[in-house]
Amino acid sequence: MTTDTLDGAVAAPAPPAKLAWKVAIIDDGFIPPVLERLPEELREAVGAVLVDPAHAGELAALGIKETDGPDAMLDALTDPNAPLGEVYVALAAISTDLQGIIEERQELRRLVVLIQEEAGSDVRVCRPDEELPDLTDRDLVLIDYYLEGSSGTANLSKEFARRVRAQPGRSKDQQVVLMSSIESVRAHRNEFRKETDLAGAAFAFIGKADLNQRWKVKAHLGMLQRARPHAPVLATYRETLRKSLEEATSGLLQLSDDLDIGDYAFLQSQALMSDGHPLGDYVSWLLASHFVALAFERGKLREDQRKVDELEFEQKTFAPTEPSPVVAQLFHSALLTSNVGPLERHPRAKPNSAYAAFPMVQLGDVFLDEARTKAVVILSADCDLAFSPTEQRPPNGDTPIMMAPGKPVALTSGGAGDTAVTHGHLFGDNVYRIDWNFKEYRSIPLAKLADYLKELGLNVANRDRLRPLYALKLQQEFGAHLMRVGPPIMPPLTYEAEGRVYDNFGGVKNLGEEFIQGEVMLSHHQDETRVRMTPKLVDALQRAAQTLVQKMIDAKPAPQPGKPDHEQTKIDALQKEIDNDDFWIGLVEGVTLNGFNSMKAIGTGCSFIRGEWSATGKPRVIFEVSEKRAAGTANS
């Protein structure tokens, strides 16, 4: 396999401290653009372009001689510093495939140079048409998703990822990054990681468009460097968790086998019969609690948990992207018991008996309509809701059932509730919060509860149930209790928005670039909204700033002798910011937005706003954010 180091680019000013990382890149773009890769009928035409006297001067300027041969001449065109001039245009007219090969290889060679400058060491170049070398000394391995061209499959890249993972002596903290020039590949990152069995703690995805400038490479390498020390700890925790779950599963199955019919009878007769609580629900709760104790509350997992507790993620560690769907699923499960079942009679009530007309509910039961436009939560204490279909504790049809209405709000709708709020409901692919309206609470007799919910248009064929911690919190908020339960802090919740980049000059709003295809994401957390700035968005701001500087230069009046040149001072300040890599890297950390229609200034020449704004006389680059409404609904 090729292991040469590509160079030749003019080095940009390097940061004072190098990472000293060893990097390897596996990409089919390293395969040279030889004539054999082209259809036979095109080879003669390509060769004629390369020996055309009209192009001799341009090729000579690149150090290319006709005696070098066509393959060497083609490859010389992909030099990182080579301008894509008339020869390239003539070749592109003959073959779009050759055009793509030249462009991809040149961009890849530039990436190698940028990484060498920032990592402070060589980059090992790996071609998929040759054997994989020993990469165990590499700190970072980047793998292209399509190693057989964009029209191929990911099978080859997955195979190479497995080979990298299987190399003897490979360090647990070796970072593996999946990359692609096709942005939609990002959605396949979890599938790729699972099929290659790579550790999630040392795996990430980065689009190639996010690595095409020095500041982007510097930012990403810095993020990966901060993540690297955490990878072995998280990998060890994950492996210990696997073993602990296996042992807990075995232990729980053994315990459930040891429960005999007398134990079930004892539980019901001594604890449940008069209270009316269903036996199956009670046993499932006991077993679930014991499983948590077996799996998470003893042995080595506790030790490894403490090591995870010591980790600090004070800075953004990974490339900004929407959180994995797994995060939403985890918090939904922590918040709710799903698919509790229909609203119906007590499980032990006989059909057509006097007790069959009374539905059984519990604290925290949440009923929603199919369209996710309204909700109701049961807030009565469980002791008031309990009854038994026997004479020991018969139901009372007049028992008041306290409940509060709510409005489900998809996070894509933005805004924040001004009452009690339950965050983290997951329905289909959408994450919702529910804004509860305590002012319009109702007390409905137990005997009329089912009819009342149906009249509201709520689904009584299924329901969810808030877990005790969150149900009690909501109940205490409802009762205005001073000692509220403090649940774990919910994570930032992310939703799509639209973005437009303007340069504001001479009192005119000039639209530069527009991002309306899910490329702008907002994160809302504790009444704070941040726009998640990807390198692509920062790139657009930097280009707009450069455009603004040029407009200022073109419009600047001639300086008057003896007087300060204020316009030049403004131009110099903005240009200094444009040339400041750390400023643009800082934007990748995300930007907290002001309230609607309120401008947020960042640095010398950039501003952010949600909503409407009017052009001003002060030259600025404006990033305008508008929030999208939820597209469709999904069922629970």
Side-chain angles (χ1 to χ4, degrees), residues 275-295:
D275 189 57
H277 197 103
L279 177 62
D281 182 75
Y282 191 76
V283 171
S284 293
W285 168 68
L286 287 176
L287 291 176
S289 300
H290 189 63
F291 182 77
V292 171
L294 290 174

Side-chain angles (χ1 to χ4, degrees), residues 26-48:
I26 305 174
D27 199 305
D28 60 335
F30 290 128
I31 302 175
V34 297
L35 288 182
E36 288 185 359
R37 297 179 65 183
L38 298 176
E40 189 172 351
E41 63 271 16
L42 299 179
R43 297 174 190 173
E44 184 177 347
V46 170

Side-chain angles (χ1 to χ4, degrees), residues 468-487:
L469 177 64
Y470 295 96
L472 288 170
K473 176 181 182 293
L474 194 62
Q475 185 188 57
Q476 289 199 352
E477 289 177 322
F478 176 63
H481 198 286
L482 294 179
M483 298 296 291
R484 296 180 180 178
V485 175

Side-chain angles (χ1 to χ4, degrees), residues 301-496:
L301 190 67
R302 278 295 197 195
E303 299 175 14
D304 290 342
Q305 174 193 314
R306 283 189 281 272
K307 295 176 182 176
V308 176
D309 290 339
E310 295 172 0
L311 300 183
E312 294 184 1
F313 292 93
E314 294 182 352
Q315 293 177 289
K316 294 272 193 243
T317 306
F318 304 103
T321 185
E322 69 279 6
S324 165
V326 175
V327 175
Q329 293 170 12
L330 287 175
F331 276 90
H332 177 84
S333 297
L335 179 73
L336 290 159
T337 299
S338 299
N339 300 315
V340 174
L343 179 67
E344 56 187 2
R345 58 184 169 82
H346 193 287
R348 296 196 344 257
K350 300 296 187 287
N352 302 319
S353 69
Y355 304 117
F358 300 100
M360 185 173 185
V361 292
Q362 293 187 31
L363 170 66
D365 278 0
V366 177
F367 298 89
L368 300 108
D369 65 339
E370 295 289 347
R372 305 301 175 201
T373 61
K374 49 189 172 182
V376 160
V377 61
I378 304 299
L379 291 173
S380 295
D382 271 334
C383 59
D384 293 336
L385 297 171
F387 67 87
S388 175
T390 66
E391 295 181 358
Q392 294 174 295
R393 190 173 184 177
N396 182 348
D398 293 328
T399 298
I401 309 299
M402 305 296 292
M403 65 185 71
K407 181 177 178 57
V409 180
L411 293 183
T412 51
S413 300
D418 57 1
T419 61
V421 176
T422 297
H423 288 284
H425 288 243
L426 181 66
F427 302 122
D429 295 329
N430 288 332
V431 182
Y432 291 74
R433 72 169 193 266
I434 299 181
D435 296 340
W436 301 110
N437 185 356
F438 291 158
K439 294 179 181 179
E440 297 184 9
Y441 77 92
R442 293 290 183 271
S443 176
I444 305 298
L446 176 64
K448 298 180 179 180
L449 176 62
D451 290 337
Y452 175 76
L453 295 177
K454 291 177 183 177
E455 289 173 4
L456 289 179
L458 301 175
N459 178 19
V460 295
N462 201 359
R463 56 188 149 157
D464 291 333
R465 180 175 295 153
L466 291 170
R467 295 195 184 275
L469 177 64
Y470 295 96
L472 288 170
K473 176 181 182 293
L474 194 62
Q475 185 188 57
Q476 289 199 352
E477 289 177 322
F478 176 63
H481 198 286
L482 294 179
M483 298 296 291
R484 296 180 180 178
V485 175
I489 296 174
M490 298 300 288
L493 300 167
T494 304
Y495 52 96
E496 282 187 25

